[in-house]
Amino acid sequence: MQFEISRDALIKPLQLVTGVVERRQTLPVLSNVLLALDNGILSLTGTDLEVELVGRVGVDGGSSDGEITVPARKLMDICKSLPEGSLIKFSTEDGKSVIRVGRSRFSLSTLPASDFPTVEESKGSFEIKVARETLKSMLDSTSFAMAQQDVRYYLNGLLLEVAPDYLRVVATDGHRLALHTEKMAVGVAAKHQVIVPRKGVLELSRLLTDGEDEVSLVIGSNHVRVRTQNFTFTSKLVDGKFPDYDRVLPKGGDKVMLGNRQDLKQALSRAAILSNEKFRGIRLMLAKDELKILANNPEQEEAEDVVAVEYQSSALEIGFNVSYLIDVLNVLTTSTVQMILSDTNSSVLMQATDGSPALYVVMPMRL
């Protein structure tokens, strides 16, 4: 196997693929990247057995096909250390992979490509086409609400729901929920739900930063696969039942508050400084056209901030984890946000005021 490729063409797919590879592996081959050359197309594959990413890039002439695995981080570090515009000459000699760049020469250990695990296509899969921007927006607006290392393992991921006329993603950690629905003709006969693990969601979001306008989303019984022109991303699914999110959505809230997103975020961030470091609790006191934010901590320190808002309902006092409110305000993009409340013990429903397809639910705290 041998080929020539410019450093600049190789480094981007290599960076993305290396991001999937875990530093500490039980199987030595999992810290390697699989290089496979076929008809002038070089495929780079990285996996941690849960997530697999394949990047593709064209190579210059004078190549010979083949496949081999080499240490991912070392190859990445070598490419990073080379000057921009360098031409890399790659070949395999005596069981080693040799990289020549100008007067520099590097020899890397290899493991056979046959040892490298690949994810098989799962049965019963169906494919839908989604705009890249839409899919990225859906992941970015909800992924913050996923649980981290929760014993309820099905919460450590994102629910992907496909129905005949919409695509929906839902994330929750039991204390807050984020939901984003996009109306589209999906072309499936019935509703279908799968849970994509946390690492898969974060890697996919990173991958969708740029590229062509449409991606192919393949959903199988135990894998989800996203194909673009330059990449194929595959993730195992979480085997579990996601909670019935519809029961969590607050119904019948009669108190509506409209506020400037930036003003609210800044006031909450200031109050958070003196909130309890462990529980992060703050108290919101709503009165006519005014929101008072109160925080205190075990050191008897206090913060009080008043924000002008649009609010015409009866006075209400309610407690929240301030971090959860700030997280929502960080992903909303409109200048004005809406909060719908009913009473002290009920969750708040937050959303943008422009009819955005994303909804956020935050449970109250007893303070």
Side-chain angles (χ1 to χ4, degrees):
M1 177 184 180
Q2 69 177 52
F3 59 86
E4 291 184 5
I5 189 168
S6 77
R7 168 205 180 266
D8 305 349
L10 180 63
I11 201 158
K12 188 176 177 194
L14 184 59
Q15 255 175 329
L16 285 163
V17 168
T18 306
V20 173
V21 178
E22 295 284 354
R23 287 186 184 275
R24 290 186 293 279
Q25 289 290 3
T26 47
L27 284 170
V29 75
L30 290 180
S31 56
N32 282 15
V33 60
L34 172 66
L35 302 178
L37 185 61
D38 185 23
N39 283 332
I41 300 294
L42 177 68
S43 300
L44 303 94
T45 308
T47 183
D48 66 353
L49 297 181
E50 184 179 278
V51 173
E52 178 190 270
L53 184 55
V54 183
R56 290 177 288 275
V57 62
V59 301
D60 302 328
S63 58
S64 64
D65 292 357
E67 52 182 17
I68 197 74
T69 80
V70 297
R73 304 269 169 203
K74 288 174 184 170
L75 180 59
M76 182 73 231
D77 290 344
I78 288 169
C79 289
K80 274 183 171 172
S81 68
L82 295 171
E84 285 185 21
S86 303
L87 182 67
I88 296 171
K89 296 180 179 181
F90 185 98
S91 60
T92 49
E93 302 167 16
D94 302 327
K96 299 268 190 194
S97 59
V98 179
I99 298 163
R100 292 184 176 87
V101 183
R103 299 173 73 175
S104 306
R105 179 181 176 278
F106 307 90
S107 173
L108 286 172
S109 63
T110 62
L111 286 168
S114 56
D115 292 355
F116 197 83
T118 52
V119 178
E120 298 298 319
E121 184 81 66
S122 52
K123 290 188 175 68
S125 55
F126 58 91
E127 182 175 348
I128 60 175
K129 300 280 191 211
V130 189
R132 179 188 60 80
E133 277 289 332
T134 301
L135 186 56
K136 177 156 177 65
S137 163
M138 293 178 81
L139 297 182
D140 290 352
S141 64
T142 54
S143 57
F144 72 91
M146 293 185 292
Q148 293 190 53
Q149 298 176 324
D150 197 297
V151 290
R152 297 164 295 178
Y153 58 92
Y154 48 84
L155 297 184
N156 301 321
L158 189 80
L159 177 73
L160 185 64
E161 183 174 291
V162 183
D165 57 347
Y166 67 82
L167 180 66
R168 176 176 292 158
V169 292
V170 187
T172 180
D173 61 4
H175 304 288
R176 42 138 172 222
L177 178 140
L179 178 148
H180 188 132
T181 308
E182 289 287 347
K183 298 280 185 195
M184 58 176 81
V186 176
V188 295
K191 191 163 79 172
H192 195 79
Q193 290 186 337
V194 295
I195 305 172
V196 185
R198 181 183 176 83
K199 180 172 180 181
V201 173
L202 300 178
E203 286 294 337
L204 182 55
S205 176
R206 199 166 64 97
L207 188 62
L208 292 169
T209 46
D210 57 17
E212 67 272 18
D213 292 336
E214 200 173 53
V215 298
S216 157
L217 183 62
V218 182
I219 298 170
S221 55
N222 51 3
H223 293 102
V224 62
R225 181 165 285 167
V226 177
R227 288 198 191 99
T228 73
Q229 192 175 342
N230 298 324
F231 293 98
T232 301
F233 167 89
T234 309
S235 172
K236 281 188 176 176
L237 298 173
V238 176
D239 185 16
K241 178 139 179 54
F242 202 80
D244 181 4
Y245 60 83
D246 202 47
R247 286 174 50 203
V248 178
L249 297 175
K251 312 275 195 302
D254 58 344
K255 298 177 174 61
V256 179
M257 185 204 89
L258 294 174
N260 180 284
R261 182 179 70 90
Q262 205 61 35
D263 290 350
L264 287 169
K265 186 175 144 187
Q266 288 171 355
L268 288 168
S269 300
R270 288 192 293 267
I273 298 166
L274 296 186
S275 67
N276 184 311
E277 287 181 14
K278 187 177 179 187
F279 302 109
R280 308 285 287 159
I282 56 148
R283 189 177 275 108
L284 302 185
M285 299 178 76
L286 273 162
K288 186 176 175 354
D289 289 341
E290 181 183 277
L291 171 66
K292 187 182 284 186
I293 303 168
L294 301 169
N296 56 36
N297 60 30
E299 288 82 50
Q300 307 296 314
E301 297 166 330
E302 294 181 354
E304 181 180 310
D305 221 311
V306 178
V307 184
V309 294
E310 289 180 40
Y311 182 75
Q312 300 298 323
S313 303
S314 57
L316 175 70
E317 184 176 334
I318 187 167
F320 288 107
N321 179 317
V322 67
S323 301
Y324 295 165
L325 297 179
I326 292 171
D327 284 346
V328 174
L329 295 173
N330 278 333
V331 293
L332 290 172
T333 53
T334 50
S335 58
T336 312
V337 296
Q338 175 178 277
M339 296 173 77
I340 302 174
L341 308 109
S342 50
D343 57 56
T344 303
N345 300 315
S346 299
S347 300
V348 61
L349 182 68
M350 297 175 69
Q351 62 192 113
T353 51
D354 63 349
S356 162
L359 299 174
Y360 302 93
V361 179
V362 181
M363 284 176 65
M365 276 180 87
R366 292 184 191 280
L367 291 174

